[in-house]
Structures are given as C-alpha cells and as structure tokens.
Amino acid sequence: MVFNSEERKSSYADYLSWGEGERIEMIDGEMIRIPPAHFRKHQQVLRQLSIEFSLFLRASEGEAYFAPFEVRLQSEKKADDEVYNFVQPDLTVVLDSKKLDEKGCRGTPDLIVEILSPITVKLDRWKKFQLYEWAGVKEYWIVDAMNESIEVYVLDDQQYVVYGVFTREETIQVPTLKGLEIDLNQIF
C-alpha cells in the first residue's frame, strides 16, 4: 500500500501537483493508496451513519462529510508544502466552520469514523489511530461492518481511552455531540 517510503517526504502541495487520479492519503509524508470499498455493507453503514450525523447537525453549527473528503491534520497555519498528514476518512465531523475550505478540512476535525475493510485493518487500527490521537481528534470510531460493532475512543489528556464497544442491539450516546443518540439497529 505504501509507495513512497525511501524517497523524501511528500507534502500536500506535491499531492496537488499530481492531478486527479486514485485516492491517496499521507501520513508523515508517506503516501498511501486507499483501496475502494469492496463490499456493499461498507457503503450501507457509511450511508446510514452519514444520515444520522447530518440530520443531527442540521440544527447546530457543524457538518458531516463522507469520503472522498480531504482532511489536512494540524495544518491551520501551514502552507500546503508544510503539510505532511492528510487523510480521507470514511466520515468526518467538523464543528468549527473556519476549518473548512474548498479543498476540505484545514485542521483537526472533531470526530472521525473509519469503516474497516480487510485491506485497511492495520492502517485504521494502528497508523491512523496514532495519527488521530496525535492530531487531537476528539473522538474516533472504528466500525466493523461485517461483525456489526463500533469501537468509540475519546481523547483524554492527549490519549485515546475506550468510551465503549457497541453492537447492533445497542445505542451510542455520542460524546462529542451532546444529545445525539444512534440506534445501531438503524445502522446495521
């Protein structure tokens, strides 16, 4: 999946110069190809979560975006050639509209959801987990669509702690969005 490990670090500006093509993410200047979702369940779960978050956020400031949507982490005061971490999460929630521009999110979003696939398990559970923790993403969800479960992590003193592991018959009270409850029967 990685194809730039021995060369110099690539930046977001480099990526922009390559033109349209495949989905790519970058972690610490290392380019990573993002494979397409290969199963229908992934898309169903993403659609349902997008609906839940979007409907809730209609009544408040904030927006939910689904992939492809570029998130340039820790980039608020940096030029594109100084940005070495950008991702395209399955779902991104941004509460501060000042972080949004025409390219996506310039800065750290409030909540990120990644839906596992066989190819991305290690990336989502290890590299992205560490990246999102480092960047200060307040809440990170890892969704296992095939096993119908969601792991929710919340940032506490710059480290993720497990908020809970939820299955189909449960309801999640979303920590970052007070008042939002998601019935997982509606998601899975």
Side-chain angles (χ1 to χ4, degrees):
M1 202 169 350
V2 175
F3 65 88
N4 194 31
S5 57
E6 296 300 318
E7 300 172 19
R8 74 168 179 84
K9 280 187 177 183
S10 296
S11 70
Y12 185 69
D14 294 326
Y15 162 73
L16 293 175
S17 71
W18 298 334
E20 302 269 333
E22 63 190 316
R23 280 185 59 205
I24 293 174
E25 294 180 319
M26 183 185 303
I27 298 176
D28 195 28
E30 183 177 49
M31 303 302 295
I32 300 168
R33 290 184 179 110
I34 301 303
H38 291 292
F39 56 98
R40 188 172 60 100
K41 184 82 169 179
H42 178 283
Q43 294 306 99
Q44 288 174 321
V45 168
L46 178 56
R47 180 190 66 228
Q48 292 306 115
L49 284 170
S50 296
I51 289 169
E52 295 290 330
F53 281 103
S54 296
L55 288 175
F56 179 82
L57 290 168
R58 251 190 207 170
S60 67
E61 291 192 26
E63 296 187 49
Y65 296 92
F66 53 88
F69 179 75
E70 292 177 7
V71 175
R72 290 157 285 151
L73 296 162
Q74 295 280 320
S75 64
E76 289 89 337
K77 296 178 181 172
K78 294 180 181 176
D80 287 345
D81 63 350
E82 299 173 308
V83 176
Y84 298 102
N85 293 292
F86 76 91
V87 290
Q88 296 189 36
D90 288 307
L91 186 67
T92 303
V93 174
V94 181
L95 300 178
D96 182 356
S97 63
K98 289 181 259 174
K99 292 182 179 180
L100 299 171
D101 63 16
E102 291 305 310
K103 296 176 191 170
C105 179
R106 182 182 202 98
T108 301
D110 298 278
L111 188 149
I112 286 179
V113 176
E114 295 285 4
I115 301 172
L116 298 176
S117 72
I119 296 172
T120 66
V121 169
K122 187 174 181 180
L123 179 65
D124 293 337
R125 288 193 177 280
W126 180 247
K127 277 193 168 192
K128 286 187 176 181
F129 184 97
Q130 291 181 319
L131 177 66
Y132 297 157
E133 184 178 61
W134 165 82
V137 176
K138 294 175 191 166
E139 190 169 335
Y140 178 40
W141 290 23
I142 299 175
V143 178
D144 185 338
M146 300 312 286
N147 291 307
E148 298 184 338
S149 68
I150 299 177
E151 299 166 30
V152 177
Y153 299 89
V154 293
L155 202 59
D156 181 27
D157 196 28
Q158 300 178 319
Q159 287 191 312
Y160 279 136
V161 294
V162 177
Y163 175 74
V165 178
F166 303 88
T167 58
R168 180 184 192 102
E169 301 301 320
E170 296 179 281
T171 298
I172 299 175
Q173 295 181 1
V174 182
T176 303
L177 301 172
K178 301 296 181 217
L180 176 57
E181 294 183 359
I182 299 178
D183 177 357
L184 297 188
N185 280 306
Q186 301 299 314
I187 303 304
F188 298 117

